[in-house]
């Protein structure tokens, strides 16, 4: 029997920085601040999801995708909240961090009940750029599409 | 295009203290320990929510509101769990901290299935008083009432 | 009126280690890596839940229980995700830590919508063994069975 050792590549400082970055990043998206959201990715950042035929590559594409979704949700009167949790910082290589977490999308229609729209696995490559964190590569796997 | 820099007002120590405080605070409420819950607010603490016509101000009012809710849930045979997450520590001014997080209320009736009762945004001003954290001002925005 | 002081037995390093351990531990279970999951318990580890007539004691029993559940979920085409959050590190005694958290089980059937299957309270005794964390005793209380 082979038992993988759990990776222990993190420190308190790094772990909480990633947690705080995740919170702030998703607050931006849920607030509809799509250009600021896009700037939480590197200029050549990749956002890939098994729910989409092709990844969004680069800030322009990421902005456009977020803007379209934000507009659709606003029109439908639905508030989205992205919850990222169960964060595991799995690797550190200089200013590059590999992290794995779970992400929920919770939607609440105006006057209605909240529902979990999607449960997903999120695997990120995050870079420290000029003192800030930016996603270089995000891979989202929606549980219903596995 | 103006892009706000993400606030980075936190350290690992402060961030985890706030997380631990949030956990302990909500464990008290969900356990029905309403007087101890009220003491996680300053004596003049404010609890405001867009679901309520007026804020609860001061520990006596906060205790009374929590006691009424606790009794109603007990009578109904429902266990509440408050989940605070996606915490962003946004500002620090001496012993005062501004934090923003998401909060879910999950309710489970005896013998029934859990449901998300409310998805909310929570903005806090938290003070360090005699070595412990206390909420001076909490503003809850329920997503269904936006 | 007696007001219990909130326990403050944690440091940033300990708190984030427990968070990271919880994430990695549950990723293993949700990925169906049952033997590695069982090794996140001590050899004499106890897994007790108010949903089960008797606790699973020792890695062999814990492996068997996890393997049976994993097989049933795979056959049903359901992806489980365990979310542990609202972590409070309540006591530290040498290499032994007492922690309390909330745990959700979120299930997504292939092609279907995610649902919260269970909302629970989780109380752990965690040991540092050869530099890694292991559960010595886990007590799960499902909210619907209280």
């Amino acid at each position: 029997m082979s038992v993988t050792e759990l990776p222990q590549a993190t420190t308190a400082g790094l772990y909480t920085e990633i947690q705080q970055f995740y919170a702030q990043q998703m607050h931006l998206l849920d607030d509809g601040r799509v250009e600021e959201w896009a700037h939480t990715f590197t200029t050549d950042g990749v956002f890939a999801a098994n729910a989409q035929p092709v990844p969004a590559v680069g800030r322009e594409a990421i902005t456009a995708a977020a803007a379209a979704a934000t507009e659709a949700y606003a029109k439908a009167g639905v508030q989205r909240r992205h919850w990222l949790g169960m964060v595991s910082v799995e690797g550190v290589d200089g200013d590059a961090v590999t992290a794995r977490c779970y992400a929920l999308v919770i939607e609440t229609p105006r006057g209605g009940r909240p529902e979990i729209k999607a449960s997903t696995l999120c695997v990120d490559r995050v870079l420290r750029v000029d003192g800030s964190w930016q996603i270089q590569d995000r891979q989202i796997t929606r549980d219903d599409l596995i």
Side-chain angles (χ1 to χ4, degrees), chain A:
Chain A
M1 186 187 70
S2 152
V3 174
T4 304
E5 289 239 329
L6 294 180
Q8 299 180 319
T10 191
T11 61
L14 179 57
Y15 193 83
T16 55
E17 279 187 48
I18 296 295
Q19 286 185 312
Q20 166 108 338
F21 168 68
Y22 279 167
Q24 295 180 338
Q25 184 195 37
M26 302 317 296
H27 292 183
L28 288 177
L29 182 60
D30 295 337
D31 287 349
R33 296 161 69 177
V34 296
E35 295 201 348
E36 293 162 274
W37 149 261
H39 276 75
T40 63
F41 289 80
T42 60
T43 50
D44 61 348
V46 172
F47 184 105
N50 65 341
Q52 299 166 348
V54 292
V57 179
R59 281 187 193 151
E60 202 174 326
I62 291 171
T63 305
T70 295
E71 195 181 348
Y73 278 98
K75 200 171 279 181
V78 171
Q79 173 68 54
R80 276 189 301 173
R81 301 273 175 215
H82 288 82
W83 281 69
L84 275 57
M86 299 299 280
V87 176
S88 174
V89 172
E90 309 232 305
V92 183
D93 181 8
D95 283 331
V97 169
T98 306
R100 177 185 158 112
C101 69
Y102 291 168
L104 296 177
V105 184
I106 295 173
E107 294 183 359
T108 309
R110 199 170 294 130
R113 293 290 294 262
E115 285 204 355
I116 303 176
K117 176 70 172 185
S119 166
T120 71
L121 174 67
C122 171
V123 178
D124 282 334
R125 182 174 164 87
V126 198
L127 295 188
R128 198 194 299 268
V129 181
D130 297 334
S132 294
W133 293 102
Q134 294 183 340
I135 304 286
Q136 187 180 49
D137 186 272
R138 171 163 285 176
Q139 302 283 333
I140 300 282
T141 307
R142 241 171 63 183
D143 291 339
D144 57 329
L145 304 178
I146 297 179

